[in-house]
Amino acid sequence: MKWHIALGIVSMVAVIDVLSGIAITEQDRMESYTDSYQSRQIEFGALLFENNCRSCHGPQGKGIESVGPAINAADLFNGDRLRSFDFTGTVEDYLKGVISAGRPIPSQGSTYPQRMPTWGAENGGPLRTDEIEALVLFTMNWEKVALAGEDGGTISPPSGDFIGTDITISLPPGDVDRGQDLSDGALGCSSCHVFSAVGPVWPSEGLAHAVGTRAVERIEQSDYNGNATSPEQYLIESVVLAELYVVEAFQAGVMPVYYSERITLQDMADLLAYMLSIP
Amino acid sequence: MALFEVHIPILDDIKEKGLIPTLKDTTDDVVERITSGLRIADVRSALRDDPPGRPNPRLKPHSEGFWLHMRPTYYNKLVDGVYPTFRLGWLSTFFFVVEIITGVFLMFYYTPSPLVAYENMLNILSNVPFGRLMRDLHKLGAEIMVAVVLLHMLRTFLTGSYKKPRQFTWITGIVLLGATLVLSFSGYLFPWDQLSLWAVTIGASMAEAAPPEVVGRTLNLIVRGAPEFGANGLLRFYLAHVVGLPLVAIIAFGVHYYKVILHGHSLPPDNEEVGVDTAKKVPMNTRTYFMPKILTRELYYVAILTAILVIWATFAFHAPLEPHADPLVTPLHTTAPWYFLWLQGLLKLGDKVIFGIVIPTIVTGVLFVFPYIEVGPSRRYGHRRIGLTAGVLSVAGFVILSYMGTPWYGVDTSPEQEAIATLLPQTHPGPIRLADWNELDIGTYEATNWEEAPSETLQELLHTFSEEISVAEYGTRTAWEGIMIVEDWQTSLKKITLRVLWIDSATGNPGEFSESEYIHQFSDYGQGE
């Protein structure tokens, strides 16, 4: 019995020691847990961004002309943007509010034809509060890079001869790779036509053909009301006269209408070459 | 004449006997009251393990006190140690008390609503001192308690201690087993993470399978409070876990333990004549008295087990917290908790009704009823070969069914999903998330060229990937290839894309499947999740 008592006392002392050890390190542990949880939220936010936000704000948040503003931008994090409309909260507050509530009417002075959707569940949207927080944390993670000034701001239009709205115009020879770069980057076509299905998807999918082959079929359709007589003309028409003919099951007013005054002849030629090369 | 008299007895005593003797006597009285019958001298003699003298004052706390009223005053020497019972019944009670204490602590910081449950868990883990320890102790205690209760049942079966007159003790034991399992299962839901929601959904969906359809639907609504788990279900499970089941358990425990004491603890079968239950008659020379031996031993067990649990929960065992519950996304390879894996295995055998409802009901029925059917008079192992064989085979059956409940059996996933799930599993962190972030160099890597990867971590990951790809077989697909792309995505954030490519030899068409995940430098998954 004596060793029962002795071992029992040793155990109690061990427990007290361990608990004291925990008491000393608990503050640090809790802080590091918070940090690691926020890091995981950033990962989660990245996934949510890819699935919900990329089609309008671009893959790296650099914005898409006439679709969505840049959020990976210095003016957001240094306060200029918030000051321009007298917002008095922090950047996190602003982001939380905008993502959760959306924008029922477009911001004053902006040229975005689509409104920012409502995402927060408390406002009727599809995302939970913790998902909104994840997106905010993910966006804030751009702060360092944005403030460092690497390509800040929404992509500005190139200068030069714009293509205009004449779809019969003859184009110079196009470069497929440059066309792909334009689509994935500055012009942002891939966000809606390759990486997501906001607009008709360019690559072939299941039984549907790629955009080049579909263009041939499209101009033969009975509901086609445009003026193209060849697939190339049809594709040019889709870009520069977006409102003329909208493919069935897609919404009008989503494809930006400014490309006739934003794309040069060479840009269009490269883009066309890329579109026709997609398998 | 004085208006009233002040009567202070202790002052009279001091006047009569002197200060020190009075204090001694008062202390003696207080000790006697607290211990329900032992004076200081008796306590000291018990601690010294002296022979007690007559009448034995150490029996008074049992007959006059509340706390020991149901504890036996003596045990038979044959059953007073770790063997042959392994003290499993005592251990079950110990863990129940541990769960109550840690559970009440957690209740202070938890609200059973899907809107805040997950947030509460984060609060407990990151904002409440000792919160993580309490939660880990609670989960550890729960897992061990289920195991201990099952082992206790096995021991009782093996020693034939369910036979007359102890049949009803066995029945209350099965009730306690059911309460323990449902307590553990209901508690699983509270963190409201992916593991909670889906593991419990698997279990509760069997209620829905009960025939006829109207019964199944009603049962499902009773269990979940709604067609699917949500606010109602969480509240119901909370009330069951915190109020309903503890009440059932305490009542069943009362009856159970009372009957154990009433009939006396059963002796090892070889020490009894066949058909004679001598547990109640303990000759003087085979007695171990509760005070001091058993009491000291039990306090010692408490101290040792507390130390083991606290050390285990501090340094090794950590309860997981997965991402927030998402009713629209089922993680690949979700499983039920380990004590229900056998059910999941059964379900893989065929019809939901037969294997999910009928067979488990039969099993439960048999467990309840067999002490009244198996009425052979002898508890000796040699006389119960058939029964013992049946028991061992049942245990083996449950183990095999549990294996069948794991994702390694009977789950048909395409090899590309399996390959990617090995590196990026959906139910736990997995190799990529646990790897050293700094060693995940940016670039594109082919699985077959794993030896040329720039860092050891990448080599290991790609090696695992290429091994999975090399055994891939699916219909007419050939020329399997695996690619891993690591991109620098954001500050301290990398994007990992795993892509599996193949060529369909029948049509010549290529195919691909890919999955991406983002890994942050400081997400620190190695905390036991």
Side-chain angles (χ1 to χ4, degrees):
Chain A
M1 197 178 92
K2 283 207 183 97
W3 68 266
H4 282 139
I5 299 178
L7 214 46
I9 293 178
V10 166
S11 313
M12 286 205 304
V13 169
V15 168
I16 293 170
D17 283 341
V18 171
L19 290 177
S20 315
I22 295 177
I24 296 170
T25 57
E26 194 68 343
Q27 222 23 66
D28 289 334
R29 180 200 69 77
M30 294 199 289
E31 273 169 30
S32 90
Y33 187 89
T34 310
D35 287 338
S36 82
Y37 175 69
Q38 292 196 320
S39 303
R40 274 176 244 178
Q41 282 293 74
I42 294 179
E43 293 172 2
F44 188 32
L47 211 55
L48 288 166
F49 189 88
E50 185 166 319
N51 293 333
N52 297 301
C53 321
R54 182 182 50 182
S55 49
C56 293
H57 288 285
Q60 279 288 333
K62 297 277 174 62
I64 299 177
E65 183 80 8
S66 312
V67 179
I71 37 187
N72 181 0
D75 70 321
L76 174 65
F77 295 103
N78 63 21
D80 285 346
R81 199 182 293 189
L82 305 189
R83 273 188 289 271
S84 73
F85 44 79
D86 298 324
F87 187 82
T88 49
T90 60
V91 179
E92 284 100 337
D93 293 335
Y94 170 70
L95 287 171
K96 206 161 171 190
V98 167
I99 300 174
S100 180
R103 286 269 170 79
I105 50 177
S107 302
Q108 200 179 42
S110 70
T111 52
Y112 302 110
Q114 286 168 276
R115 68 172 192 81
M116 166 80 171
T118 305
W119 294 104
E122 62 223 350
N123 297 312
L127 295 180
R128 299 184 306 257
T129 316
D130 67 290
E131 289 175 311
I132 307 280
E133 277 168 23
L135 280 168
V136 171
L137 281 169
F138 172 72
T139 310
M140 292 306 296
N141 201 31
W142 269 317
E143 184 170 14
K144 222 162 97 180
V145 149
L147 288 175
E150 307 168 3
D151 330 317
T154 314
I155 310 302
S156 44
S159 53
D161 281 325
F162 300 121
I163 183 173
T165 51
D166 178 11
I167 65 174
T168 58
I169 201 168
S170 66
L171 297 173
D175 175 44
V176 172
D177 287 329
R178 187 167 175 271
Q180 185 171 10
D181 285 341
L182 282 172
S183 174
D184 287 349
L187 295 177
C189 320
S190 298
S191 298
C192 292
H193 290 284
V194 178
F195 300 143
S196 66
V198 177
V201 173
W202 288 351
S204 64
E205 212 175 26
L207 294 172
H209 298 296
V211 63
T213 320
R214 289 206 309 268
V216 176
E217 297 158 6
R218 207 65 87 186
I219 50 181
E220 304 295 329
Q221 273 174 222
S222 51
D223 67 329
Y224 176 63
N225 55 358
N227 303 316
T229 50
S230 74
E232 289 81 5
Q233 283 187 0
Y234 173 74
L235 291 173
I236 298 173
E237 187 183 69
S238 313
V239 175
V240 302
L241 288 167
E243 292 295 282
L244 190 57
Y245 169 70
V246 178
V247 174
E248 198 185 312
F250 288 95
Q251 284 179 315
V254 179
M255 170 75 179
V257 297
Y258 296 95
Y259 284 120
S260 55
E261 281 151 47
R262 293 275 187 271
I263 309 180
T264 63
L265 287 165
Q266 186 61 58
D267 289 340
M268 188 71 242
D270 295 331
L271 198 56
L272 195 58
Y274 170 57
M275 282 160 75
L276 291 170
S277 77
I278 297 176
Chain B
M1 178 134 137
L3 273 173
F4 54 88
E5 268 183 30
V6 173
H7 186 211
I8 304 175
I10 196 166
L11 291 177
D12 293 336
D13 279 341
I14 294 180
K15 213 152 114 182
E16 205 181 298
K17 292 184 286 187
L19 181 61
I20 303 287
T22 310
L23 284 177
K24 245 179 156 176
D25 284 337
T26 317
T27 318
D28 233 348
D29 280 333
V30 169
V31 168
E32 191 178 0
R33 276 188 167 137
I34 291 175
T35 60
S36 304
L38 296 175
R39 301 180 69 80
I40 296 180
D42 301 321
V43 172
R44 294 178 70 200
S45 119
L47 284 173
R48 279 193 303 257
D49 202 10
D50 291 342
R54 292 172 190 269
N56 187 344
R58 298 172 199 168
L59 304 181
K60 278 203 263 177
H62 292 266
S63 53
E64 290 175 24
F66 168 75
W67 299 106
L68 296 179
H69 81 274
M70 219 156 68
R71 305 302 310 270
T73 44
Y74 53 80
Y75 282 52
N76 189 314
K77 250 201 198 74
L78 294 166
V79 289
D80 72 351
V82 173
Y83 187 84
T85 63
F86 303 100
R87 301 249 74 93
L88 289 164
W90 187 91
L91 269 176
S92 310
T93 319
F94 170 77
F95 279 105
F96 189 55
V97 172
V98 166
E99 291 304 281
I100 292 183
I101 295 173
T102 51
V104 169
F105 178 95
L106 293 169
M107 275 170 77
F108 277 89
Y109 298 100
Y110 180 81
T111 304
S113 155
L115 297 171
V116 295
Y118 194 75
E119 220 177 280
N120 289 153
M121 299 311 299
L122 292 170
N123 186 47
I124 290 174
L125 292 168
S126 67
N127 215 14
V128 175
F130 295 98
R132 189 174 82 154
L133 176 69
M134 286 290 144
R135 180 181 179 232
D136 290 344
L137 280 174
H138 197 72
K139 179 129 210 265
L140 182 63
E143 306 260 328
I144 298 181
M145 185 170 167
V146 173
V148 163
V149 168
L150 285 168
L151 286 171
H152 179 59
M153 179 172 87
L154 185 61
R155 193 283 295 166
T156 314
F157 171 77
L158 288 174
T159 57
S161 308
Y162 55 85
K163 289 175 181 286
K164 191 166 166 176
R166 298 183 176 86
Q167 299 110 321
F168 196 69
T169 317
W170 171 272
I171 304 256
T172 50
I174 301 295
V175 170
L176 284 166
L177 172 68
T180 308
L181 288 173
V182 183
L183 272 168
S184 188
F185 185 63
S186 52
Y188 227 69
L189 186 61
F190 296 168
W192 204 251
D193 63 359
Q194 282 285 63
L195 174 65
S196 301
L197 181 66
W198 292 104
V200 174
T201 297
I202 293 177
S205 64
M206 288 196 285
E208 214 176 346
E213 199 198 313
V214 65
V215 169
R217 231 181 317 128
T218 312
L219 267 178
N220 184 46
L221 284 177
I222 292 176
V223 168
R224 295 195 230 199
E228 297 293 329
F229 269 113
N232 284 351
L234 183 56
L235 182 61
R236 258 163 226 235
F237 269 48
Y238 184 74
L239 290 174
H241 184 87
V242 155
V243 180
L245 288 163
L247 257 174
V248 166
I250 289 173
I251 293 173
F253 169 75
V255 178
H256 187 82
Y257 191 59
Y258 183 82
K259 286 190 60 74
V260 169
I261 305 306
L262 185 69
H263 299 301
H265 200 294
S266 58
L267 299 176
D270 289 334
N271 296 88
E272 275 178 2
E273 286 174 38
V274 172
V276 176
D277 182 40
T278 48
K280 262 316 255 187
K281 309 180 194 87
V282 185
M284 286 288 291
N285 59 352
T286 51
R287 289 183 189 183
T288 311
Y289 278 86
F290 187 84
M291 210 117 50
K293 279 255 166 58
I294 307 290
L295 180 62
T296 322
R297 220 172 276 184
E298 293 195 353
L299 289 173
Y300 153 70
Y301 293 152
V302 170
I304 283 264
L305 285 164
T306 310
I308 292 175
L309 284 177
V310 168
I311 292 173
W312 195 350
T314 307
F315 296 108
F317 178 90
H318 295 300
L321 189 66
E322 292 189 8
H324 195 290
D326 190 342
L328 301 173
V329 175
T330 310
L332 190 66
H333 297 329
T334 297
T335 54
W338 64 267
Y339 42 86
F340 282 151
L341 275 175
W342 63 277
L343 266 173
Q344 209 174 350
L346 261 181
L347 285 169
K348 288 184 191 169
L349 287 175
D351 182 48
K352 206 157 60 146
V353 175
I354 299 179
F355 289 100
I357 305 282
V358 172
I359 293 192
T361 310
I362 293 178
V363 167
T364 319
V366 164
L367 276 177
F368 265 108
V369 149
F370 93 87
Y372 296 98
I373 298 179
E374 205 282 88
V375 289
S378 169
R379 289 171 53 223
R380 299 207 180 163
Y381 307 123
H383 300 160
R384 293 168 55 224
R385 281 179 230 248
I386 298 178
L388 288 175
T389 313
V392 170
L393 285 176
S394 310
V395 171
F398 273 99
V399 170
I400 293 173
L401 281 172
S402 299
Y403 162 73
M404 285 166 61
T406 62
W408 291 301
Y409 174 87
V411 177
D412 259 327
T413 334
S414 49
E416 63 270 16
Q417 282 192 310
E418 285 288 341
I420 292 180
T422 309
L423 288 175
L424 283 174
Q426 296 178 23
T427 49
H428 55 278
I432 292 186
R433 291 193 192 95
L434 291 172
D436 185 354
W437 190 86
N438 295 304
E439 294 219 345
L440 295 172
D441 299 313
I442 312 292
T444 307
Y445 310 98
E446 261 183 55
T448 38
N449 293 342
W450 59 269
E451 278 151 348
E452 291 161 21
S455 71
E456 222 180 280
T457 311
L458 276 174
Q459 283 173 13
E460 268 173 51
L461 293 169
L462 289 164
H463 191 184
T464 314
F465 198 22
S466 83
E467 273 177 15
E468 290 283 325
I469 303 280
S470 64
V471 297
E473 251 176 51
Y474 195 80
T476 50
R477 293 186 190 168
T478 54
W480 295 89
E481 258 176 67
I483 300 179
M484 174 151 79
I485 307 168
V486 181
E487 288 169 74
D488 185 22
W489 198 251
Q490 228 190 22
T491 316
S492 301
L493 189 72
K494 288 182 182 159
K495 180 177 179 182
I496 317 267
T497 308
L498 292 173
R499 186 167 288 150
V500 178
L501 305 153
W502 63 84
I503 297 182
D504 191 331
S505 55
T507 61
N509 287 340
E512 67 118 37
F513 177 80
S514 66
E515 217 177 272
S516 340
E517 275 292 332
Y518 296 89
I519 315 277
H520 194 282
Q521 189 173 7
F522 303 116
S523 43
D524 191 17
Y525 279 99
Q527 292 201 43
E529 303 85 323

